[in-house]
Amino acid sequence: MRHTITVLVENEFGVLTRIAGLFSARGYNIENLNVAPTLDASMSRMTLVTRGDEHVIEQIKKQLNKLIPVIKTEDLTRQEHMEREMILIKVRASEDTRAEVLRMADVFRANVVDVSESSYTLELTGKARKLDAFLRMLEPNGVIEMTRTGPVGMRRGAEGFTVDDD
Amino acid sequence: MKLTGAEIFVECLKREGVDIIFGYPGGAVLPIYDEIFKKNYFRHILVRHEQAALHAANGYARVSGKCGVALVTSGPGATNAVTGLADSYMDSIPTVCFSGQVPTHMIGNDAFQEADTVGITRSATKHNFLVKHVEDLALTIRQAFHIATTGRPGPVLIDIPKDVGIASCEFRYPETVNMRSYKPVTKGHHGQIKRAIKMMLASRRPIFYTGGGINSARGSAELLTRLARKLNFPVTQTLMGLGGVPCDDKHFLGMLGMHGTYEANMAVSHCDLLIAIGARFDDRVTGKIEAFAPEAKIIHVDVDPSSISKNVHAHLPIVGDVKVVLGQMLDALKTANTKPNAEALKVWWHQIEEWRARDCLHFDQDMDGSIKPQFVISKLHELTKGDAIIATEVGQHQMWAAQHYGFKKPHRWITSGGLGTMGFGLPAAIGAQIAEPKATVIDIAGDASIQMSIQELSTAMQHKLPVIVAIINNSYMGMVRQWQEMFYESRYSHSYCDSLPDFVKLAEAYGGKGLRAEKPGDVETVIKQALANRDTFTVIDFVVTKEENVYPMVPAGAGLSEMVLA
Ligand SMILES: Cc1cc2nc3c(=O)[nH]c(=O)nc-3n(C[C@H](O)[C@H](O)[C@H](O)COP(=O)(O)OP(=O)(O)OC[C@H]3O[C@@H](n4cnc5c(N)ncnc54)[C@H](O)[C@@H]3O)c2cc1C
Ligand SMILES: Cc1ncc(C[n+]2csc(CCOP(=O)(O)OP(=O)(O)O)c2C)c(N)n1
């Protein structure tokens, strides 16, 4: 099963390598890894998407927690949570297809971020499945390139995922 | 007060209570070596290869209970240290290794003797650091010792660029360490302890399965022995756990696993409750997982949550330090309102005694024949009254030592269990002898293994260490040969050691004493001579039966009850 795990880490040199190294050394599968700063500059937050049965996921969480710079982990899959991802797609746009591409962008509420004589670059944020659908709809027009951030996520409700320093 | 990096290094180590360092100098660590020379605070043991520095630190740590410390130079010094780090990592031994690095401004330039030490050692250490600013050095050293010695112990490496040793800053020693991302749990969950006691008192066929955690947590062995006696439960130990309960205690069934005793493996295969304490269900222990303790509920006490339910599902996990948890269990037992099931235990013990009566470790020494390896080990036990510190190399001799030496106390058995590193024993014995100068320290060795660290005889000589190296010389890589005999139709592919050196002359060449035993009648005499020699190291070449096998043996992939007895 697919699991989205959030990890708070010390913002120090080499953390990313430690996490990536853990996954390769133990043969765990990693679909996505996203790293970004948090409100507190001394920490970074990672969102990690992996697959495995209960046993494997349990080990992944334990092994992540065992890494010294890892402060805290949370398996979002077990909670009420939201996930969002962003995609940038550069699609061909000729005289004939321009209007169709724009209409599609409108339907999906995507933004046009760049225009050239023969292309549009569109930006869309949403759940992975929505992004997949958007990409599929644009494919007939000819997608030149695309890039996705991979999902970021957090749990619903008022409670935050933070550390109480002591 | 302003101090240089090298001065901070010495100052911090002094405050950590370090009095011994095992090391080998080189360009990148010269500033530190110079400071060691000038301050002359601690004893530095010059080894002959950096791998040996780490093994010696490992042996020292296991015997002294302190953190082992090693110091190596950049590039080849650091890469030579990798095997030693990996070894300590697998066996969870607290060590801190300092490596020199090229100056910060040259890192990444393929500079002379540069290696990406932090990258190379990342998966061979519990944690590692590269110190880029002298201001970070003191805190890093403090954290390194804290990480190495707490929770599940392990090796930590600190890479120090040459210029960081030279640069100076205001010295402030962090009196305490507080890492928000690293807080090992030591106390067992109260409710879980209560549940564990309930399961223990209700069980009919219980067994304690204990491991390296007991040797690691000082003072826990007595608690374990007390608990086992109080409950009248049998105890089996892993290779790493030997010494946890005295070998002559009737509750002790011997080692379990691939070369474990019949009674231990049968008891585990038939128990209804397995209480695992500081052991990690290694594949050498479990054999075929599905056939391991098939009828048992499992309680697992371990300080490392990732050890629990990794290989075998634990019905009752308890995260905590074994010493603390054993104390909690003894306390809880005092107030428990039921007693162990004496009737059921009587039946269980009766069954165990039947298994024990098979006397699976029995061997016959024909006094006119060749020397049996088991005979040598038994004699070593007898003549040292089971009180020596025993280190080993890796192979058959290691298994015979585990089966036949018999330990009365913890912290006297130093073997490479997890990595199985040939060449470990001699340097580890050196570290042990440094920790306990008065003790009898014996490296039980094989003729192949000993040659992987033989240069350390020179270290033993220089530091006047009366280490005894007992070579069980069968001219083969015996363990490899045994597998080839059993599983490859006796095709002995490259496991015969032709052209062995004359170990007696070799010992003499290094300045020590060399002895040889070729007949069973010689064994006692040479051991006595070796024990009497406290002036230099002694090497004994025991010329033994060439094709003896280690039994019992559970073939790889088989269940524990499918042991081959002879
Ligand atoms: C040739 C060869 C043959 C071998 N055959 C056998 C065999 O027949 N039988 C056998 O048993 N082994 C055998 N081994 C050794 C085997 O490979 C493993 O090294 C060994 O079984 C592991 O022992 P352990 O489970 O006690 O774990 P260790 O590696 O000692 O780990 C200790 C465990 O305790 C935990 N721990 C540490 N400190 C504490 C603490 N203070 N509090 C709580 N928990 C703590 C750790 O987290 C870890 O999970 C053999 C090795 C070799 C080289
Ligand atoms: C560094 C290293 N290389 C290879 C091995 C594989 N190996 C395990 S036991 C063994 C043979 C050891 O022979 P010896 O030291 O003579 O001991 P014996 O088994 O004969 O007692 C070998 C090669 C190992 N454990 N370590």
Side-chain angles (χ1 to χ4, degrees):
Chain A
M1 196 186 140
R2 178 180 179 277
H3 281 250
T4 306
I5 299 171
T6 311
V7 190
L8 271 189
V9 298
E10 294 291 351
N11 186 9
E12 64 185 38
F13 153 89
V15 192
L16 188 57
T17 332
R18 281 181 211 282
I19 300 220
L22 167 68
F23 277 74
S24 69
R26 293 190 183 262
Y28 302 140
N29 153 330
I30 188 163
E31 288 190 359
N32 258 304
L33 180 60
N34 175 293
V35 195
T38 64
L39 292 174
D40 175 344
S42 68
M43 288 189 280
S44 301
R45 178 170 174 143
M46 300 193 179
T47 310
L48 208 150
V49 180
T50 180
R51 265 175 206 284
D53 59 25
E54 277 307 295
H55 176 76
V56 170
I57 297 293
E58 206 46 48
Q59 264 301 312
I60 290 178
K61 283 187 276 179
K62 287 175 172 177
Q63 293 294 346
L64 280 170
N65 278 315
K66 193 168 155 177
L67 293 175
I68 308 289
V70 168
I71 303 168
K72 201 171 165 186
T73 66
E74 179 177 56
D75 189 351
L76 286 180
T77 316
R78 292 184 198 282
Q79 325 239 355
E80 283 276 333
H81 75 285
M82 53 241 164
E83 283 180 35
R84 291 294 180 271
E85 183 179 352
M86 191 186 94
I87 189 171
L88 286 176
I89 312 181
K90 193 179 289 176
V91 0
R92 277 187 220 295
S94 63
E95 214 42 53
D96 312 342
T97 59
R98 247 168 217 283
E100 171 61 10
V101 169
L102 285 182
R103 199 179 64 81
M104 209 67 78
D106 200 40
V107 170
F108 278 86
R109 294 183 221 281
N111 298 319
V112 178
V113 286
D114 186 49
V115 185
S116 81
E117 271 166 27
S118 57
S119 71
Y120 277 123
T121 302
L122 308 173
E123 171 217 314
L124 177 65
T125 301
K127 288 190 191 162
R129 223 175 305 146
K130 179 175 174 188
L131 269 51
D132 293 342
F134 186 47
L135 185 61
R136 227 177 305 119
M137 300 304 283
L138 289 173
E139 255 161 10
N141 297 294
V143 173
I144 301 166
E145 65 170 325
M146 70 100 180
T147 180
R148 300 170 70 147
T149 57
V152 292
M154 59 172 64
R155 84 168 97 102
R156 290 187 184 274
E159 208 187 321
F161 185 59
T162 49
V163 213
D164 329 298
D165 267 298
D166 53 21
Chain B
M1 191 185 20
K2 268 198 180 274
L3 296 185
T4 66
E7 287 169 333
I8 291 173
F9 169 91
V10 171
E11 195 54 40
C12 285
L13 262 61
K14 191 179 141 206
R15 296 192 193 205
E16 290 291 343
V18 174
D19 37 28
I20 299 283
I21 296 187
F22 301 91
Y24 207 95
V29 280
L30 284 180
I32 290 176
Y33 266 92
D34 193 45
E35 203 51 40
I36 290 177
F37 186 89
K38 286 195 286 198
K39 290 281 169 25
N40 202 17
Y41 276 137
F42 26 67
R43 190 162 169 212
H44 176 277
I45 304 294
L46 178 67
V47 292
R48 299 298 184 266
H49 186 291
E50 289 85 353
Q51 179 184 341
L54 273 295
H55 292 331
N58 178 315
Y60 173 82
R62 293 205 215 185
V63 172
S64 69
K66 294 169 74 171
C67 187
V69 180
L71 173 59
V72 303
T73 192
S74 68
T79 54
N80 270 352
V82 172
T83 302
L85 289 168
D87 188 278
S88 292
Y89 188 46
M90 285 293 263
D91 286 343
S92 307
I93 307 300
T95 40
V96 171
C97 176
F98 295 89
S99 53
Q101 183 53 278
V102 302
T104 39
H105 67 274
M106 292 172 81
I107 291 180
N109 281 356
D110 302 324
F112 176 64
Q113 294 196 327
E114 176 178 2
D116 172 13
T117 304
V118 165
I120 291 171
T121 60
R122 191 174 292 118
S123 55
T125 51
K126 181 171 173 183
H127 195 55
N128 60 16
F129 298 92
L130 169 64
V131 181
K132 286 187 171 165
H133 308 284
V134 66
E135 293 79 9
D136 299 336
L137 187 58
L139 181 61
T140 306
I141 294 177
R142 196 86 171 93
Q143 290 183 340
F145 278 87
H146 177 61
I147 293 168
T149 54
T150 54
R152 178 178 184 165
V156 176
L157 175 132
I158 305 182
D159 204 24
I160 307 179
K162 190 169 186 177
D163 55 327
V164 171
I166 298 165
S168 55
C169 71
E170 198 60 36
F171 175 64
R172 266 193 44 243
Y173 185 71
E175 290 301 334
T176 56
V177 238
N178 181 15
M179 300 172 69
R180 64 181 168 187
S181 67
Y182 176 74
K183 293 192 163 41
V185 174
T186 52
K187 195 159 169 240
H189 183 274
H190 178 67
Q192 296 291 82
I193 303 275
K194 266 174 71 181
R195 276 184 276 275
I197 294 292
K198 217 169 139 196
M199 284 166 80
M200 282 150 76
L201 295 177
S203 68
R204 306 179 64 84
R205 299 185 310 280
I207 187 166
F208 282 109
Y209 146 55
T210 68
I214 299 287
N215 270 317
S216 150
R218 298 257 144 179
S220 66
E222 288 119 69
L223 301 184
L224 170 66
T225 309
R226 214 188 307 155
L227 187 63
R229 287 179 183 161
K230 199 162 174 166
L231 292 164
N232 191 27
F233 284 7
V235 183
T236 180
Q237 289 165 353
T238 68
L239 182 76
M240 296 302 291
L242 296 178
V245 166
C247 60
D248 47 10
D249 189 307
K250 79 171 179 59
H251 297 93
F252 180 51
L253 306 189
M255 181 170 83
L256 81 165
M258 180 173 274
H259 293 296
T261 63
Y262 183 67
E263 52 271 34
N265 284 343
M266 291 304 275
V268 166
S269 300
H270 292 86
C271 67
D272 70 349
L273 180 68
L274 184 84
I275 310 143
I277 304 189
R280 58 183 174 84
F281 294 81
D282 184 81
D283 49 273
R284 293 266 146 153
V285 163
T286 59
K288 186 163 74 186
I289 291 271
E290 306 80 57
F292 182 74
E295 299 158 28
K297 284 264 182 290
I298 292 175
I299 299 174
H300 192 174
V301 182
D302 205 295
V303 74
D304 177 0
S306 77
S307 274
I308 299 178
S309 293
K310 182 178 64 182
N311 300 334
V312 173
H313 175 73
H315 302 89
L316 187 82
I318 301 179
V319 177
D321 179 84
V322 292
K323 185 176 174 206
V324 179
V325 172
L326 283 168
Q328 289 177 284
M329 285 180 166
L330 281 163
D331 285 345
L333 211 50
K334 278 188 211 135
T335 55
N337 41 24
T338 46
K339 295 231 156 343
N341 186 335
E343 272 310 300
L345 283 173
K346 202 170 147 197
V347 179
W348 180 225
W349 272 111
H350 186 75
Q351 170 67 74
I352 289 173
E353 292 309 336
E354 247 173 53
W355 288 323
R356 182 140 52 188
R358 291 282 290 259
D359 195 11
C360 69
L361 298 180
H362 179 83
F363 64 92
D364 287 309
Q365 175 66 63
D366 171 3
M367 290 313 275
D368 296 321
S370 58
I371 304 173
K372 293 260 183 185
Q374 301 93 318
F375 179 67
V376 176
I377 314 282
S378 305
K379 276 287 170 197
L380 285 172
H381 170 90
E382 185 188 316
L383 297 171
T384 57
K385 303 187 182 65
D387 199 35
I389 294 174
I390 303 290
T392 74
E393 307 291 337
V394 171
Q396 292 182 312
H397 61 275
Q398 178 188 24
M399 294 299 111
W400 283 314
Q403 294 175 335
H404 294 274
Y405 186 78
F407 296 88
K408 298 224 172 98
K409 288 187 268 182
H411 322 304
R412 312 243 106 194
W413 167 241
I414 305 156
T415 199
S416 168
L419 201 65
T421 311
M422 292 170 70
F424 170 83
L426 175 54
I430 286 173
Q433 187 79 75
I434 300 272
E436 259 189 55
K438 293 214 165 66
T440 298
V441 179
I442 306 175
D443 172 31
I444 295 180
D447 46 272
S449 295
I450 192 62
Q451 293 186 80
M452 287 210 181
S453 291
I454 192 82
Q455 75 286 348
E456 298 308 318
L457 288 177
S458 180
T459 307
M461 197 60 209
Q462 178 169 350
H463 301 283
K464 302 193 172 48
L465 306 172
V467 168
I468 298 170
V469 181
I471 304 177
I472 308 298
N473 187 348
N474 52 15
S475 302
Y476 277 106
M477 295 174 195
M479 184 57 92
V480 172
R481 188 205 55 72
Q482 176 169 348
W483 282 58
Q484 290 172 333
E485 179 189 327
M486 296 175 79
F487 311 117
Y488 297 88
E489 296 170 330
S490 296
R491 286 184 299 276
Y492 293 166
S493 179
H494 304 284
S495 53
Y496 185 68
C497 292
D498 207 346
S499 313
L500 282 172
D502 178 333
F503 288 113
V504 172
K505 283 193 189 149
L506 192 60
E508 287 164 1
Y510 274 110
K513 191 177 180 115
L515 300 166
R516 179 169 292 123
E518 287 172 303
K519 298 189 299 294
D522 302 341
V523 172
E524 191 162 322
T525 325
V526 292
I527 295 176
K528 281 184 176 159
Q529 279 178 287
L531 291 173
N533 177 24
R534 298 298 292 179
D535 300 330
T536 65
F537 70 83
T538 307
V539 174
I540 318 178
D541 186 19
F542 290 101
V543 181
V544 300
T545 313
K546 285 201 165 187
E547 299 190 19
E548 186 73 15
N549 286 336
V550 182
Y551 292 116
M553 176 168 183
V554 178
L560 287 192
S561 59
E562 301 169 66
M563 253 165 304
V564 183
L565 283 179

